[in-house]
Amino acid sequence: MIEIQQLHKRFGHVTAVNGLSFTASDGAITGLLGANGAGKTTALGMICGLLAPDSGAVSVGGASSGRDRRSLIGALLDHQGLYPRLTARENIAYFGELQGLSRPALGRRVRELVSALGLDELADRRVEGFSRGERLKVALGRALVHAPQHLVLDEPTNGLDVASIHSLRGLLRRLREEGRCVVFSSHVLDQVAALCDSVVIMARGRLVARGSVEALCTQAGAATLEDAFMALTSREA
Amino acid sequence: MRTCITVARKELHDHLRDIRSLGSTVLYALMGPVVVGVVSLSPAASGPRGSYILFSMASVFVLVAAFTGGMNVAMDVTAGERERRSLVPLLLNRASWQEILVGKWIAVSIFAVGGLTVTLAGFALVLAKDAPEPPAAPAPELFAWMSLGLLPLAFMGAALQLLIATRCRSTKEAQSWLMVAVFVPMVAGMGIVFFPGWTDRWWMIMPIVGQQVMIAGSLTGNGVSLLAGLTLAGTSAACTIAALLAGSVGLNQDDVLAD
């Protein structure tokens, strides 16, 4: 479970996150919705232990220190850079070693992931020249290599084709069924409506609303999540 | 330490596949021996005075080689990580930036020592064949002095290059700064050649300048004391540690996520 309470973060004079609190449960997919600049990436950076909040608290599976949180989270933020001269398998294995996996466990885990992500034919090719979808799969493998209980994804479907999005959705559903806690940000409302058990809507660094898709629609008096999102965020503006 | 070794091994593995970078490193490493070899063919390079000029030139090129051998790798493992957006995933591991940086430093140092070895091998061939007079010290002694002077210099150069390149957002920016930084050993080396008495009192506490004095001294027979050599190695090691510490605390993670 991921719990955040009263998170604040400023960059110079800009307040990126302003008193954000929410909980993301195990065995559920929590969507973080917001327009560009709403503070989603900053919030995810603080959850992952990459950014230090100015105030507030983050707990991931009971761990509060940044280093402990990083070992309990698999994260795929907007930065999905891979090492082009390494193969897909080597890219994934490197991060497994950094997460402290032993050699036998690492070999087993990389084989599992290569198979689960449909990378069998690509695994021993250098990643230079991979398509965006193929690169995303390798980056996902890298994030999942230590079998984290928590997965944080920042707009993972950006630029992906339909088949890759479909494959990613299937993976996220499998992770939910395994009881993992998944948080992902997006501004593609259809995806959020199709996948998420719970939605957190942000605007200008603040929490605007949270709940299931149905609850948000009811709260806003709207028929669709898109209408609910527009109604709730325009109130904040 | 396990994390440092993991990072170092990955960087070695990765950069040994970068044929273009390796090729340019080897060319840089051989530039000095080729230039000195060509100059040694000139009639002006004959006699004791000619030997002095050739050995002085060689020592400047050797100093520069300690910095150029790892330069491409230093750029790629820091500014390059930012540019290809792989730095954030790296920082999202449980490994600390300090451990990661030390691992990268080990890898850059190994490339720096490799480049230096190519340069020294080139000079050994050129000077053995063409120098009007052989180096004053016997080969094993010369090798010991070179090691004492040059290994700490290569390690320090690697740390300084990482310190500079961690502040850069792209390899192009890092390249601009590191190319300027290479002039430091060159200028220091030339200063000693043109003003030999300049550093009489304090050379042994001054990295780069001190190494130039040591190398030139061991080639021309104006040897230095072991204590002075060890002092110089100590100050170079202190500079290395200071550069690594500065590099490890200087990474602004707020800034990295905003890249």
Side-chain angles (χ1 to χ4, degrees), chain B residues 7 13 29 31 34 48 54 81 86 107 111-112 117 123 126 135 161 168 173-174 189 206 225 229 238 252:
Chain B
V7 173
H13 190 61
M31 187 171 66
V34 169
L54 291 181
E81 290 266 21
S86 55
F111 278 99
T117 306
F123 277 124
V126 166
Q161 286 171 337
C168 300
E173 186 187 351
M206 190 69 187
S225 74
N252 182 341

CSV table of all heavy atoms in Angstrom, one decimal, chain B residues 7 13 29 31 34 48 54 81 86 107 111-112 117 123 126 135 161 168 173-174 189 206 225 229 238 252:
chain,number,residue,atom,x,y,z
B,7,VAL,N,28.3,-1.7,-11.2
B,7,VAL,CA,28.3,-0.5,-12.1
B,7,VAL,C,29.5,-0.5,-13.0
B,7,VAL,O,29.5,-0.3,-14.2
B,7,VAL,CB,28.1,0.8,-11.3
B,7,VAL,CG1,28.3,2.0,-12.2
B,7,VAL,CG2,26.8,0.8,-10.6
B,13,HIS,N,31.8,-3.3,-19.9
B,13,HIS,CA,31.2,-4.2,-20.9
B,13,HIS,C,30.5,-3.3,-22.0
B,13,HIS,O,30.7,-3.6,-23.2
B,13,HIS,CB,30.1,-5.0,-20.1
B,13,HIS,CG,29.5,-6.1,-20.9
B,13,HIS,ND1,30.2,-7.1,-21.4
B,13,HIS,CD2,28.2,-6.3,-21.2
B,13,HIS,CE1,29.4,-7.9,-22.0
B,13,HIS,NE2,28.1,-7.4,-21.9
B,29,ALA,N,45.7,8.3,-28.0
B,29,ALA,CA,46.8,7.8,-27.2
B,29,ALA,C,48.1,7.7,-28.1
B,29,ALA,O,49.2,7.8,-27.5
B,29,ALA,CB,46.4,6.4,-26.7
B,31,MET,N,48.9,9.6,-30.6
B,31,MET,CA,49.2,10.9,-31.2
B,31,MET,C,50.6,11.4,-30.7
B,31,MET,O,51.5,11.8,-31.5
B,31,MET,CB,48.2,12.0,-30.9
B,31,MET,CG,48.3,13.3,-31.6
B,31,MET,SD,46.9,14.3,-31.3
B,31,MET,CE,47.0,14.6,-29.6
B,34,VAL,N,53.6,9.4,-32.1
B,34,VAL,CA,53.8,9.7,-33.5
B,34,VAL,C,54.5,11.0,-33.7
B,34,VAL,O,55.4,11.2,-34.5
B,34,VAL,CB,52.4,9.6,-34.3
B,34,VAL,CG1,52.6,10.2,-35.7
B,34,VAL,CG2,51.9,8.2,-34.3
B,48,PRO,N,72.6,15.8,-26.8
B,48,PRO,CA,71.9,15.9,-25.5
B,48,PRO,C,70.8,16.9,-25.5
B,48,PRO,O,69.7,16.6,-24.8
B,48,PRO,CB,73.0,16.3,-24.6
B,48,PRO,CG,74.3,16.0,-25.3
B,48,PRO,CD,74.0,16.1,-26.7
B,54,LEU,N,63.1,16.0,-26.8
B,54,LEU,CA,62.2,14.9,-27.0
B,54,LEU,C,61.6,14.3,-25.8
B,54,LEU,O,60.4,14.0,-25.7
B,54,LEU,CB,63.0,13.7,-27.7
B,54,LEU,CG,63.4,14.0,-29.2
B,54,LEU,CD1,64.2,12.8,-29.7
B,54,LEU,CD2,62.2,14.3,-30.1
B,81,GLU,N,24.2,9.7,-19.7
B,81,GLU,CA,23.0,9.1,-19.0
B,81,GLU,C,21.8,10.1,-19.0
B,81,GLU,O,20.7,9.7,-19.2
B,81,GLU,CB,23.4,8.8,-17.6
B,81,GLU,CG,24.4,7.6,-17.4
B,81,GLU,CD,23.7,6.3,-17.2
B,81,GLU,OE1,22.5,6.1,-17.5
B,81,GLU,OE2,24.4,5.4,-16.7
B,86,SER,N,18.4,7.9,-19.1
B,86,SER,CA,18.6,6.6,-18.4
B,86,SER,C,19.1,6.9,-16.9
B,86,SER,O,19.2,6.0,-16.1
B,86,SER,CB,19.6,5.7,-19.0
B,86,SER,OG,20.8,6.3,-19.3
B,107,ALA,N,35.4,2.4,-13.7
B,107,ALA,CA,35.4,2.1,-15.1
B,107,ALA,C,36.2,3.1,-15.9
B,107,ALA,O,37.1,2.8,-16.8
B,107,ALA,CB,34.0,2.0,-15.6
B,111,PHE,N,39.8,2.7,-18.2
B,111,PHE,CA,40.0,3.2,-19.6
B,111,PHE,C,41.2,4.2,-19.6
B,111,PHE,O,41.9,4.2,-20.6
B,111,PHE,CB,38.7,3.8,-20.2
B,111,PHE,CG,37.8,2.8,-20.7
B,111,PHE,CD1,36.7,2.4,-19.9
B,111,PHE,CD2,38.0,2.2,-21.9
B,111,PHE,CE1,35.8,1.4,-20.4
B,111,PHE,CE2,37.1,1.3,-22.4
B,111,PHE,CZ,36.0,0.9,-21.7
B,112,ALA,N,41.3,5.1,-18.6
B,112,ALA,CA,42.4,6.1,-18.6
B,112,ALA,C,43.7,5.3,-18.5
B,112,ALA,O,44.6,5.7,-19.2
B,112,ALA,CB,42.2,7.0,-17.4
B,117,THR,N,48.6,3.3,-21.1
B,117,THR,CA,49.5,2.2,-21.4
B,117,THR,C,49.8,2.2,-22.9
B,117,THR,O,51.0,2.0,-23.3
B,117,THR,CB,48.8,0.9,-21.0
B,117,THR,OG1,48.4,1.0,-19.6
B,117,THR,CG2,49.7,-0.3,-21.2
B,123,PHE,N,55.6,5.3,-26.9
B,123,PHE,CA,56.9,6.0,-26.6
B,123,PHE,C,58.0,5.1,-26.5
B,123,PHE,O,59.2,5.3,-26.9
B,123,PHE,CB,56.7,6.9,-25.4
B,123,PHE,CG,56.1,8.2,-25.7
B,123,PHE,CD1,55.0,8.6,-25.0
B,123,PHE,CD2,56.6,9.1,-26.7
B,123,PHE,CE1,54.4,9.8,-25.3
B,123,PHE,CE2,56.0,10.3,-27.0
B,123,PHE,CZ,54.9,10.7,-26.3
B,126,VAL,N,59.1,4.2,-29.9
B,126,VAL,CA,59.7,5.4,-30.7
B,126,VAL,C,61.0,5.8,-30.1
B,126,VAL,O,62.0,6.0,-30.8
B,126,VAL,CB,58.7,6.5,-30.6
B,126,VAL,CG1,59.3,7.8,-31.1
B,126,VAL,CG2,57.5,6.2,-31.5
B,135,PRO,N,66.8,6.7,-22.2
B,135,PRO,CA,66.5,7.3,-20.9
B,135,PRO,C,67.5,6.9,-19.9
B,135,PRO,O,68.2,5.9,-20.0
B,135,PRO,CB,65.1,6.6,-20.6
B,135,PRO,CG,64.6,6.2,-21.9
B,135,PRO,CD,65.7,5.9,-22.8
B,161,GLN,N,37.1,14.5,-14.3
B,161,GLN,CA,36.3,14.5,-15.5
B,161,GLN,C,34.8,14.1,-15.2
B,161,GLN,O,33.9,14.7,-15.7
B,161,GLN,CB,36.8,13.5,-16.5
B,161,GLN,CG,38.1,14.0,-17.2
B,161,GLN,CD,38.8,13.0,-18.1
B,161,GLN,OE1,38.6,11.8,-17.9
B,161,GLN,NE2,39.6,13.5,-19.0
B,168,CYS,N,26.9,18.5,-16.5
B,168,CYS,CA,26.5,18.8,-17.9
B,168,CYS,C,25.2,18.0,-18.3
B,168,CYS,O,25.0,16.9,-17.8
B,168,CYS,CB,27.6,18.5,-18.9
B,168,CYS,SG,29.1,19.4,-18.5
B,173,GLU,N,27.9,19.2,-24.4
B,173,GLU,CA,28.3,20.2,-23.4
B,173,GLU,C,29.5,19.7,-22.6
B,173,GLU,O,30.5,20.4,-22.4
B,173,GLU,CB,27.1,20.5,-22.4
B,173,GLU,CG,27.4,21.6,-21.4
B,173,GLU,CD,26.3,21.8,-20.4
B,173,GLU,OE1,25.3,21.2,-20.5
B,173,GLU,OE2,26.6,22.5,-19.4
B,174,ALA,N,29.4,18.4,-22.2
B,174,ALA,CA,30.5,17.8,-21.5
B,174,ALA,C,31.8,17.8,-22.3
B,174,ALA,O,32.9,18.0,-21.8
B,174,ALA,CB,30.1,16.3,-21.1
B,189,GLY,N,52.4,21.2,-18.1
B,189,GLY,CA,53.6,20.5,-18.7
B,189,GLY,C,54.5,21.5,-19.4
B,189,GLY,O,55.8,21.5,-19.3
B,206,MET,N,51.8,19.2,-5.7
B,206,MET,CA,51.0,19.8,-6.8
B,206,MET,C,50.8,18.8,-7.9
B,206,MET,O,51.7,18.5,-8.7
B,206,MET,CB,51.7,21.0,-7.3
B,206,MET,CG,50.9,21.9,-8.3
B,206,MET,SD,49.6,22.7,-7.4
B,206,MET,CE,48.7,23.4,-8.8
B,225,SER,N,63.2,12.0,-5.0
B,225,SER,CA,63.2,11.1,-3.9
B,225,SER,C,61.9,10.3,-3.8
B,225,SER,O,60.9,10.8,-4.3
B,225,SER,CB,63.4,11.9,-2.6
B,225,SER,OG,62.3,12.5,-2.2
B,229,GLY,N,57.9,11.4,-4.2
B,229,GLY,CA,57.0,10.7,-5.1
B,229,GLY,C,55.7,10.2,-4.3
B,229,GLY,O,54.6,10.3,-4.8
B,238,ALA,N,44.2,12.5,-2.6
B,238,ALA,CA,43.3,13.4,-1.8
B,238,ALA,C,42.4,14.2,-2.8
B,238,ALA,O,41.2,14.4,-2.6
B,238,ALA,CB,44.1,14.4,-1.0
B,252,ASN,N,21.9,17.3,-8.3
B,252,ASN,CA,20.6,17.9,-7.9
B,252,ASN,C,19.5,17.1,-8.5
B,252,ASN,O,19.2,17.2,-9.6
B,252,ASN,CB,20.6,19.4,-8.3
B,252,ASN,CG,19.3,20.0,-7.8
B,252,ASN,OD1,18.3,19.3,-7.5
B,252,ASN,ND2,19.3,21.3,-7.8
